mmCIF file with all atom_site columns, all heavy atoms in Angstrom:
data_model
loop_
_atom_site.group_PDB
_atom_site.id
_atom_site.type_symbol
_atom_site.label_atom_id
_atom_site.label_alt_id
_atom_site.label_comp_id
_atom_site.label_asym_id
_atom_site.label_entity_id
_atom_site.label_seq_id
_atom_site.pdbx_PDB_ins_code
_atom_site.Cartn_x
_atom_site.Cartn_y
_atom_site.Cartn_z
_atom_site.occupancy
_atom_site.B_iso_or_equiv
_atom_site.pdbx_formal_charge
_atom_site.auth_seq_id
_atom_site.auth_comp_id
_atom_site.auth_asym_id
_atom_site.auth_atom_id
_atom_site.pdbx_PDB_model_num
ATOM 1  N N   . LEU P 1 111 ? -17.138 -6.318 -6.408  1.00 93.00 ? 111 LEU P N   1
ATOM 2  C CA  . LEU P 1 111 ? -16.410 -5.087 -6.046  1.00 93.00 ? 111 LEU P CA  1
ATOM 3  C C   . LEU P 1 111 ? -15.064 -5.075 -6.719  1.00 93.00 ? 111 LEU P C   1
ATOM 4  O O   . LEU P 1 111 ? -14.378 -6.087 -6.752  1.00 93.00 ? 111 LEU P O   1
ATOM 5  C CB  . LEU P 1 111 ? -16.344 -4.977 -4.520  1.00 93.00 ? 111 LEU P CB  1
ATOM 6  C CG  . LEU P 1 111 ? -17.687 -4.962 -3.818  1.00 93.00 ? 111 LEU P CG  1
ATOM 7  C CD1 . LEU P 1 111 ? -17.497 -4.857 -2.304  1.00 93.00 ? 111 LEU P CD1 1
ATOM 8  C CD2 . LEU P 1 111 ? -18.568 -3.831 -4.339  1.00 93.00 ? 111 LEU P CD2 1
ATOM 9  N N   . TYR P 1 112 ? -14.673 -3.913 -7.234  1.00 95.00 ? 112 TYR P N   1
ATOM 10 C CA  . TYR P 1 112 ? -13.447 -3.680 -7.979  1.00 95.00 ? 112 TYR P CA  1
ATOM 11 C C   . TYR P 1 112 ? -13.550 -4.145 -9.429  1.00 95.00 ? 112 TYR P C   1
ATOM 12 O O   . TYR P 1 112 ? -12.581 -4.227 -10.166 1.00 95.00 ? 112 TYR P O   1
ATOM 13 C CB  . TYR P 1 112 ? -12.206 -4.230 -7.278  1.00 95.00 ? 112 TYR P CB  1
ATOM 14 C CG  . TYR P 1 112 ? -11.972 -3.438 -6.020  1.00 95.00 ? 112 TYR P CG  1
ATOM 15 C CD1 . TYR P 1 112 ? -12.366 -3.955 -4.774  1.00 95.00 ? 112 TYR P CD1 1
ATOM 16 C CD2 . TYR P 1 112 ? -11.461 -2.156 -6.060  1.00 95.00 ? 112 TYR P CD2 1
ATOM 17 C CE1 . TYR P 1 112 ? -12.265 -3.203 -3.617  1.00 95.00 ? 112 TYR P CE1 1
ATOM 18 C CE2 . TYR P 1 112 ? -11.349 -1.383 -4.918  1.00 95.00 ? 112 TYR P CE2 1
ATOM 19 C CZ  . TYR P 1 112 ? -11.743 -1.901 -3.686  1.00 95.00 ? 112 TYR P CZ  1
ATOM 20 O OH  . TYR P 1 112 ? -11.635 -1.141 -2.575  1.00 95.00 ? 112 TYR P OH  1
ATOM 21 N N   . SER P 1 113 ? -14.793 -4.467 -9.858  1.00 97.00 ? 113 SER P N   1
ATOM 22 C CA  . SER P 1 113 ? -15.004 -4.725 -11.287 1.00 97.00 ? 113 SER P CA  1
ATOM 23 C C   . SER P 1 113 ? -14.761 -3.448 -12.075 1.00 97.00 ? 113 SER P C   1
ATOM 24 O O   . SER P 1 113 ? -15.024 -2.350 -11.643 1.00 97.00 ? 113 SER P O   1
ATOM 25 C CB  . SER P 1 113 ? -16.453 -5.176 -11.523 1.00 97.00 ? 113 SER P CB  1
ATOM 26 O OG  . SER P 1 113 ? -16.801 -5.000 -12.882 1.00 97.00 ? 113 SER P OG  1
ATOM 27 N N   . ALA P 1 114 ? -14.262 -3.640 -13.311 1.00 98.00 ? 114 ALA P N   1
ATOM 28 C CA  . ALA P 1 114 ? -14.230 -2.516 -14.277 1.00 98.00 ? 114 ALA P CA  1
ATOM 29 C C   . ALA P 1 114 ? -15.664 -2.089 -14.560 1.00 98.00 ? 114 ALA P C   1
ATOM 30 O O   . ALA P 1 114 ? -16.585 -2.903 -14.516 1.00 98.00 ? 114 ALA P O   1
ATOM 31 C CB  . ALA P 1 114 ? -13.539 -2.983 -15.554 1.00 98.00 ? 114 ALA P CB  1
ATOM 32 N N   . ALA P 1 115 ? -15.844 -0.805 -14.846 1.00 98.00 ? 115 ALA P N   1
ATOM 33 C CA  . ALA P 1 115 ? -17.165 -0.334 -15.283 1.00 98.00 ? 115 ALA P CA  1
ATOM 34 C C   . ALA P 1 115 ? -17.296 -0.578 -16.767 1.00 98.00 ? 115 ALA P C   1
ATOM 35 O O   . ALA P 1 115 ? -16.319 -0.750 -17.465 1.00 98.00 ? 115 ALA P O   1
ATOM 36 C CB  . ALA P 1 115 ? -17.287 1.146  -14.968 1.00 98.00 ? 115 ALA P CB  1
ATOM 37 N N   . GLY P 1 116 ? -18.527 -0.584 -17.253 1.00 98.00 ? 116 GLY P N   1
ATOM 38 C CA  . GLY P 1 116 ? -18.736 -0.713 -18.694 1.00 98.00 ? 116 GLY P CA  1
ATOM 39 C C   . GLY P 1 116 ? -19.974 -1.465 -19.045 1.00 98.00 ? 116 GLY P C   1
ATOM 40 O O   . GLY P 1 116 ? -20.633 -2.019 -18.182 1.00 98.00 ? 116 GLY P O   1
#
Side-chain angles (χ1 to χ4, degrees):
L111 302 179
Y112 294 99
S113 160

